[in-house]
Amino acid sequence: MTTHSTTPFEGQKPGTSGLRKKTPVFMQPNFLENFVQSTFDAIGGVEGKTLVLGGDGRYFGAEAAQTILKMAAANGAARVIVGQGAWLSTPAASNMIRARKADGGLILSASHNPGGPNEDFGVKYNSANGGPAPEAVTDAIFARTRTITEYRKLDVADADLSRPGEQPMGAMVVEVVDPVAAYADLMETLFDFKALRGLFHGGFTMRMDSMCAITGPYATEIFENRLGAAPGTVVHGTPLPDFGGMHPDPNPTWAHELMDELMGSAAPDFGAASDGDGDRNMILGRGIYVSPSDSLAVIAANATLVPGYADGLKGVARSMPTSTAVDRVAQALGLDCYETPTGWKFFGNLMDAGRVSLCGEESFGTGSDHVREKDGLWAILMWLNIIAVRGQSVAEIMAEHFARYGRNYYSRHDYEALPTEVANAMLDALRARLDGLKGTALQGLVVESADEFCYTDPVDGSVSAHQGFRILFEGGSRVVLRLSGTGTEGATLRVYLERYVAGPEGLSEDPQAALAPIIAATEEIVGIKARTGRPGPNVIS
Ligand code: VG1
Ligand code: CO
């Protein structure tokens, strides 16, 4: 019996990055099956196709992988390439799809959301280019979830995912591969591993916090085994189903152990962290935190120091809420700079069309066209390679960068798990006031323009509306507001704050202090505290 009847579930709409739900929701009978069959149906079936499969090791991932293998076999797939232990980081999965010319892949992860029996699980479909499915595909998947009546799944024993090799499942081949090797090899083609070995040999010290998530095995292989960093450089390096209770989101709030170490008296030269599925990164130097938007700008400004980018960048792109620091670098270098909605799926067309080679988001996401996902370890290697060539500390590199380009003070304030009605009413009220805001003076600032971001993809002309509210103030400061598309509880409001200071004075203020007038002006316009009853944000990054 391979055909099973089913009925639709409500709410299987993929968000910013795949479908994310509480784990018990995903574990309900038929919930995963419905979503996977809908995905297969929406992409025209998987008959004769080759797929890549893997995830970040979180709770329910191994069971979900077995279900998906049996469904792929029943749907006629020719081959599924699966990471040993059902492990693959998101960038490694993207690379595997591309390197093996697979037709697509499924990634089992809720990324930076916590994992465990009562936390979050997720599934994401990536296309043949290795990137997250574009909106047209996720819309088709969602449409299918609402009409689905049956799914196909072979009634066979589980595959053995414990060691590399091939095995049959029905008429399909299950190919288990080392999840790390191909990705580590790719990194060797982009970076100067000899110079990096020299850096570590010369006594450079680093702490890499993998947050008990998927990058542990990758980071250990690359930094400790291939580059000779001291044993113990990688901490929390074993992926655990519940991430050891950590919230694998590499920001100052959730990676506080690493923050404390880098801000302390015995700090190493360099610190970095990554998220659940390995596509995010946080960069720290001794006594200094680098905001993701600034990191993107520094990488853009220094990319040609790295062998893989020695010929120059094709162009750069950032998500709309990401600070305009990278725009200033692009202008100085004569590069095109694109502004896209939030979510890596919007960068794919630009990279495929050869318009950009570097992309970034304020949410600790940075990457290039070496794959079609953001890539945490790649960003960390970019920084290491830049440090090795320049022979300077992170603090020195940042100071020189700000002196040359000015500084875009930046912070994101998150209000998590708000009642959905409250959040929607607040933004509806803002939408209604938007047209009248121009010219308003508050907190010593004057509103230059206010709108709701609508994106037209320059490659295929597709339009994505309602991508966040922007209020621009005279002089280059701004605030952006939008609701998260990755949360699994109520609504999360994200408030993105930015203020530009050209220098040479005022380049080393505390960001929250530098942004205080914009924070106050936002409160006057939107009334977040008044409407939500919250005293302030619960995560500041
Ligand atoms: C968040 C970030 C966004 C990122 C997305 C997926 O989305 O803001 O920039 O692309 O997470 O990242 P949202 O809709 O919650 O703001 V990951 O590392 O969770 O795949
Ligand atoms: Co992630």
Side-chain angles (χ1 to χ4, degrees), residues 20 90 109-112 275-280 374:
R20 297 184 195 185
T90 286
S109 170
S111 190
H112 62 284
D275 73 330
D277 61 333
D279 56 0
R280 295 187 179 207
K374 55 191 189 257

Side-chain angles (χ1 to χ4, degrees), residues 42 73 94 112 116 139 255-256 283 296:
S94 183
H112 62 284
D139 287 349
H256 51 86
I283 300 294
L296 176 65

Side-chain angles (χ1 to χ4, degrees), residues 40 43 45-53 72 76-82 96-106 125-128 172-173 175:
F40 290 168
I43 59 170
V46 293
E47 181 134 30
K49 290 184 178 175
T50 295
L51 298 174
V52 166
L53 174 66
R79 175 180 293 261
V80 176
I81 302 163
V82 52
M96 193 66 74
I97 293 169
R98 296 166 67 77
R100 296 292 305 272
K101 299 193 169 27
D103 298 286
L106 287 153
Y125 176 72
N126 281 29
S127 316
M172 183 179 88
V173 177
E175 179 185 345

Side-chain angles (χ1 to χ4, degrees), residues 407 409 501 503-509 514:
R407 179 166 181 181
Y409 285 100
V501 175
E505 300 302 316
L507 294 178
S508 49
E509 282 180 57

Side-chain angles (χ1 to χ4, degrees), residues 225-251:
N225 298 349
R226 298 199 188 188
L227 294 176
T233 293
V234 179
V235 293
H236 299 124
T238 303
L240 299 173
D242 65 350
F243 305 124
M246 293 182 95
H247 184 159
D249 194 353
N251 63 38

Side-chain angles (χ1 to χ4, degrees), residues 16 111-112 275 279-280 361 363 374 482 484-486 494:
T16 311
S111 190
H112 62 284
D275 73 330
D279 56 0
R280 295 187 179 207
E361 295 193 279
S363 54
K374 55 191 189 257
R482 58 178 283 280
S484 158
T486 59
R494 304 206 194 283

Side-chain angles (χ1 to χ4, degrees), residues 353-412:
R355 294 194 188 207
V356 301
S357 34
L358 175 68
C359 304
E361 295 193 279
E362 52 63 45
S363 54
F364 300 83
T366 337
S368 88
D369 55 359
H370 67 290
V371 290
R372 291 293 181 275
E373 287 278 5
K374 55 191 189 257
D375 188 344
L377 291 172
W378 172 90
I380 295 161
L381 285 162
M382 280 302 271
W383 268 91
L384 287 172
N385 205 145
I386 291 165
I387 289 168
V389 174
R390 290 184 52 159
Q392 289 175 305
S393 69
V394 175
E396 287 164 341
I397 290 171
M398 291 316 298
E400 282 189 15
H401 188 89
F402 293 150
R404 171 145 183 214
Y405 296 98
R407 179 166 181 181
N408 292 74
Y409 285 100
Y410 191 86
S411 182
R412 186 175 100 184

